[in-house]
Amino acid sequence: MDEPPWKKLKLSLERPYKDDSGELLPELLDITPDGQHIYRPREDPTDAVGKKLWRIFDERGRDFFEAYKGSRTLPPVQIQSQDAAAATQEEGAADGEHLESSHTMTPEELLKMRMSLLPQLYIAFGEMTQARDLLTLLLSSSLPTQPSTLPPAPLAAPLVNKPPPILSVRAFDAQLTIGGKDKALRAAADLFKGAAEKIEDSRVAGEKYWLDALKIRRGNWGLLPAPLPMGSSTGKGADKTSKDFLVSFGLEESPAAFRRRAIGRMAAMGSTDSANALEFPLRQRTRLRVSLSRTQPDGMRVTSNNALNDSDDGSLDGALRAAQTEVVEQEIFAALIKEASSLPTASAEVSERLIVIDAAQNTELRFELVDADSASHNSNGPTDPVCDLVYSTLHVLLLRAHTVSKTHRLSRTSISRPVGIVQPAPQPPPLLQPIIDLLQYREFWGRVHDEIERVATALRLAGVAARVHYDPVADSGEALVASLQDEKPHSISGEALLRIDDRHTLRFTTSSPSTLMAHMPQATLSIASISQLSQLLVDEVSGRLLNRICEIGTERCERVSGTWFVDLLSGRSVGRWEGCVL
């Protein structure tokens, strides 16, 4: 906001001595009635120094240095004989007057002179005081009978008044006085206004600080008292009351390193950056990106990522959620690194911020920690619901691991726990293996689907009615989520039904990661490979078709008493009537 022009005006408290062009301002002495200004003449510094030096010699004598030379130095010590000493005394008596004039008084002589002069001065002071009192008494008494020959108030001091200045000088002085007062008043007003603005800003900042604290607490975030500043007194009787808040947004059962990282603090009341009410000193600003690369039958490689959404909408709750998401994703990535080296059904490559896993045939799974800013800029790429499913499932599995850890922690402090028996810490449920099983099951189900669909298509082309029902995940969504939250591992199951000619049904059940069961009328068979599934489908479909051919032949050859049966060794339908074999 622009300030008014009068607030931008800068007034100096010093008396101006230069004009706008840098020239010295002359000192005004008087203004004549005709308006002419009389200034003080400028004096050359060199001439002033010369005059002062000349006054020294003029007032103290031309031989100033020679006269005081002897008083500043001591005469040399000489050893003289008795005759020389007598001669010196005689010369000293002759020149006594000259020596007395150049002799310097010692402190003892000055004290003696003072003691002799002070009584006389006190006597003179008393006489003058008495004479003053007498004159005052005479002047105060009035004698009306005797005419006074003295002038009125003969001893009174005459009063001399300074002539008033001319009108122009008086106006100029008034303007200077008014200008100085206005300048002082403006400076004082600006000082009070600045102090009032600072007090108001401090009050608003304090109100905002406590309102933000209440909003954070209302959002069910943890508020902790901040530690005392460095150097604070911690002795007995010292004030140990915390003046600030810390905000804890980490998960309860997270490792200590991640809980320390999930600490934020509210900005101080006097902070200049009022836009950010929260500060995150240990925030790394990284996000977890899940990528899935698949190789198509034509050799083309397709890569898709999960959608990374920014939870920070400018509010306090949004900022805390965004920071919490980053810390949780970092904890997930650390757990994935621990499990990647011991996968039983997949191989993995691990680096500091990247994990590459060959999850299934022609399928590669990547977990990568990327910068939050670059992730938000590159969020417009191709996305895959499977990547989003893997991303969300990792959070559910992490919460399951935390639940197991919390249950064990509470059981150790339980009252009913036997004394002296220490229960070993349970192995936390894995995070990565269920994801690998899920992707392998997805790839396995796709191959089973392709094989069954190929047989159904061939039947339709042959004119045989064929219908297929696929249910890759037989459980409901609630049951699937509950199985992920359970401590015991649960497999994902599915079902496929192939109905031939609206009469015969082939039922197959699947289980993650790659278990296939065929339910036949005679028995239940376990399918170990896709080739075995193909052979089973061919045998079952062929048998069903041959039986159908026998049924049709029996109906058509009923008049000739024909017999139709299926030869299992040759895999043919055989018909006989009246000596003929077909």
Side-chain angles (χ1 to χ4, degrees):
M1 182 182 296
D2 296 337
E3 297 181 351
W6 61 271
K7 292 186 67 176
K8 299 181 180 180
L9 182 61
K10 304 297 181 181
L11 299 177
S12 176
L13 298 177
E14 297 180 350
R15 179 180 177 183
Y17 61 93
K18 287 186 179 182
D19 55 6
D20 296 338
S21 59
E23 298 293 337
L24 295 176
L25 295 175
E27 184 179 355
L28 182 65
L29 294 180
D30 197 358
I31 301 177
T32 59
D34 55 355
Q36 183 179 2
H37 295 256
I38 300 177
Y39 300 99
R40 183 185 297 275
R42 294 185 59 185
E43 187 176 5
D44 189 6
T46 305
D47 296 341
V49 173
K51 290 180 181 180
K52 291 179 181 179
L53 293 176
W54 180 258
R55 284 182 57 191
I56 293 175
F57 292 99
D58 189 24
E59 295 176 0
R60 301 187 182 185
R62 306 283 180 171
D63 55 348
F64 171 72
F65 292 106
E66 289 77 3
Y68 289 90
K69 181 177 180 182
S71 62
R72 293 192 299 270
T73 58
L74 296 176
V77 180
Q78 297 180 0
I79 301 176
Q80 299 177 353
S81 61
Q82 296 181 356
D83 298 338
T88 305
Q89 292 179 359
E90 292 177 358
E91 293 179 359
D95 299 336
E97 297 180 357
H98 179 69
L99 291 175
E100 290 179 359
S101 61
S102 61
H103 176 66
T104 302
M105 298 181 67
T106 62
E108 291 80 5
E109 293 175 351
L110 289 175
L111 178 61
K112 184 178 180 180
M113 183 181 66
R114 177 183 178 186
M115 299 302 294
S116 63
L117 291 179
L118 279 179
Q120 300 178 9
L121 292 176
Y122 277 117
I123 294 173
F125 177 71
E127 293 176 353
M128 293 181 65
T129 305
Q130 187 177 5
R132 184 193 63 185
D133 295 340
L134 179 61
L135 289 176
T136 303
L137 179 62
L138 292 176
L139 293 175
S140 61
S141 63
S142 59
L143 299 175
T145 58
Q146 296 179 1
S148 177
T149 58
L150 296 175
L155 298 179
L159 299 178
V160 180
N161 296 326
K162 182 179 179 181
I166 57 179
L167 185 60
S168 59
V169 176
R170 190 184 305 172
F172 183 73
D173 293 342
Q175 291 178 0
L176 290 178
T177 303
I178 294 173
K181 290 182 178 180
D182 181 69
K183 183 178 181 181
L185 291 176
R186 287 181 183 274
D190 291 341
L191 179 62
F192 281 109
K193 184 177 180 181
E197 290 177 352
K198 289 183 178 180
I199 293 175
E200 179 66 16
D201 294 342
S202 177
R203 183 191 65 81
V204 173
E207 291 182 357
K208 184 178 182 299
Y209 182 86
W210 290 106
L211 286 177
D212 293 341
L214 292 176
K215 289 179 182 178
I216 293 173
R217 191 67 191 91
R218 191 183 301 118
N220 205 24
W221 299 100
L223 281 181
L224 305 174
L228 296 177
M230 295 294 295
S232 300
S233 177
T234 57
K236 185 177 181 181
D239 185 12
K240 301 178 183 179
T241 306
S242 178
K243 302 299 188 299
D244 294 318
F245 289 116
L246 294 180
V247 185
S248 175
F249 51 87
L251 299 181
E252 182 181 5
E253 298 300 326
S254 297
F258 294 99
R259 288 203 305 271
R260 285 193 297 266
R261 196 178 300 175
I263 292 293
R265 64 168 179 262
M266 299 183 62
M269 296 184 185
S271 178
T272 56
D273 190 5
S274 59
N276 298 326
L278 292 174
E279 299 176 355
F280 304 100
L282 300 178
R283 188 174 181 180
Q284 298 183 358
R285 297 188 178 277
T286 57
R287 295 297 305 274
L288 179 63
R289 174 182 290 171
V290 180
S291 303
L292 199 62
S293 300
R294 301 189 64 186
T295 304
Q296 301 295 337
D298 56 356
M300 182 177 179
R301 194 174 186 83
V302 179
T303 303
S304 56
N305 307 319
N306 65 313
L308 295 177
N309 299 323
D310 190 5
S311 303
D312 192 358
D313 54 357
S315 62
L316 295 174
D317 190 71
L320 288 172
R321 288 187 183 278
Q324 185 187 50
T325 301
E326 295 177 6
V327 175
V328 171
E329 291 177 355
Q330 293 166 13
E331 182 180 355
I332 291 174
F333 188 80
L336 294 178
I337 289 179
K338 293 181 181 179
E339 298 181 16
S341 58
S342 59
L343 289 176
T345 59
S347 60
E349 298 179 4
V350 180
S351 62
E352 183 179 1
R353 301 181 67 172
L354 178 64
I355 302 175
V356 181
I357 303 173
D358 294 331
Q361 184 178 1
N362 300 328
T363 303
E364 182 182 85
L365 180 63
R366 298 165 63 96
F367 300 99
E368 184 179 5
L369 282 179
V370 298
D371 295 336
D373 298 336
S374 62
S376 60
H377 292 314
N378 300 331
S379 60
N380 298 327
T383 58
D384 190 355
V386 178
C387 297
D388 295 333
L389 176 62
V390 171
Y391 177 80
S392 302
T393 306
L394 287 173
H395 289 74
V396 177
L397 296 176
L398 179 65
L399 293 178
R400 182 181 69 173
H402 285 185
T403 303
V404 173
S405 176
K406 182 177 181 181
T407 303
H408 175 70
R409 178 173 57 84
L410 295 178
S411 64
R412 289 185 303 174
T413 59
S414 176
I415 300 177
S416 61
R417 181 174 60 87
V419 179
I421 299 177
V422 179
Q423 298 180 358
Q427 187 70 19
L431 272 69
L432 187 57
Q433 187 60 44
I435 301 299
I436 301 300
D437 294 344
L438 176 64
L439 295 178
Q440 290 180 351
Y441 177 71
R442 176 172 177 260
E443 185 68 23
F444 168 72
W445 180 262
R447 298 175 64 186
V448 171
H449 174 274
D450 294 342
E451 193 65 30
I452 296 176
E453 192 66 26
R454 184 175 63 83
V455 173
T457 303
L459 290 174
R460 295 189 189 99
L461 293 176
V464 180
R467 291 185 299 173
V468 185
H469 173 71
Y470 299 105
D471 191 3
V473 181
D475 299 332
S476 61
E478 292 80 1
L480 183 60
V481 174
S483 65
L484 291 176
Q485 294 176 349
D486 195 359
E487 297 181 11
K488 298 180 180 179
H490 294 273
S491 59
I492 303 174
S493 59
E495 185 182 34
L497 296 176
L498 175 60
R499 190 166 181 81
I500 304 172
D501 198 19
D502 296 333
R503 301 178 62 184
H504 307 286
T505 302
L506 294 178
R507 180 171 174 263
F508 300 93
T509 58
T510 57
S511 179
S512 63
S514 58
T515 303
L516 178 62
M517 303 293 292
H519 300 271
M520 300 298 174
Q522 300 83 6
T524 301
L525 302 179
S526 176
I527 309 300
S529 62
I530 297 298
S531 59
Q532 185 179 356
L533 173 62
S534 301
Q535 186 63 39
L536 178 63
L537 288 173
V538 170
D539 294 343
E540 291 296 326
V541 171
S542 300
R544 300 297 191 274
L545 293 178
L546 292 176
N547 289 332
R548 180 57 177 164
I549 293 174
C550 292
E551 292 176 1
I552 296 174
T554 303
E555 292 177 0
R556 297 293 178 90
C557 299
E558 185 177 0
R559 293 177 299 176
V560 294
S561 300
T563 304
W564 288 80
F565 62 93
V566 177
D567 188 1
L568 297 178
L569 295 178
S570 61
R572 297 178 180 179
S573 294
V574 180
R576 294 178 181 178
W577 66 94
E578 295 180 358
C580 297
V581 178
L582 178 61

